Amino acid sequence: MRQIPFPRTRRARLLAASCVLATAAALFASTSQVTAAPAAAAGTDTGKKPTIVLVHGAWADASSWNAVMGRLQHAGYTVYAPPNPLRGVSSDAQTLASFLATIPGPVVLVGHSYGGFVITNAATKSPNVKALVYDDAYIPAEGETVFQINAAEPGSCVTADPSTFLNLVPYPGGPSGDVDAYLKWDANGAYQGFQGCFANGVPTAQARLLAAGQRPFAVGAGSEPSGAPAWKSLPSWAVVGTTDHVIVPAEQLAMARRAGAHVTEVKAGHLSLVTRPDVVTRVIREAAGSVG
């Protein structure tokens, strides 16, 4: 095979070295342009969606949000549904606020049922929260309690004699005399049973799964007063189930109007997040669309 002759003169060697340097410079420049392009694009991206954080209520867990969560993820949102300890308003709110502090960028905070107490208090400690959504939820004013709101209007299925609808179980490390409360499955007197009270509109097989996997609510949390409400300084939305047996619709509407919330009424019971996830998702997206 014929070999390429090596340059024999000084001028030829200098010319060859110049060609090598020029080629290397061109290669470096093209590589720099390729690696710099994504950074420039990221810097000009103004269409980033807010993160959605979903907070479950008593006698539920994060899986109660699955149908809503899947729709939001399909629409391109980053979604979290952290566990709500259900120990007490202040401690639950602080737990949530600590989680929110790890999220960069704006957040839309969504609460179901007792989760409304938690988001109302956590958002005052979380400057990245830009909008609140209440789904069949408490929207408390300062000083109000779960038990107080339940009794404000007649008709709530969780204001009967506790022995008729709750299984009370001591838990270690709690305040003296406090107990965990689980909803009973069977109907008893004025109590319509788990499905009739908490899960009306949910198919029986699914309601049984929800009852078996329910997370207990510390009774002491029901008498703990709420702090200064975040809805006084943040825009809010409310989904009101018109056949809710836990927080009666009249009370939900009164709280939502007091907060100046954008109200959507839907024919659903207390678990509209399960039975009408399309409506709940739409309202969450409306709130997210308001975040600039």
Side-chain angles (χ1 to χ4, degrees), residues 150-163:
N150 287 344
E153 294 280 349
S156 171
C157 63
V158 293
T159 55
D161 177 353
S163 66

Side-chain angles (χ1 to χ4, degrees), residues 6-17:
F6 188 83
R8 297 181 181 278
T9 67
R10 182 181 180 187
R11 182 179 178 183
R13 287 196 296 269
L14 290 173
L15 181 60

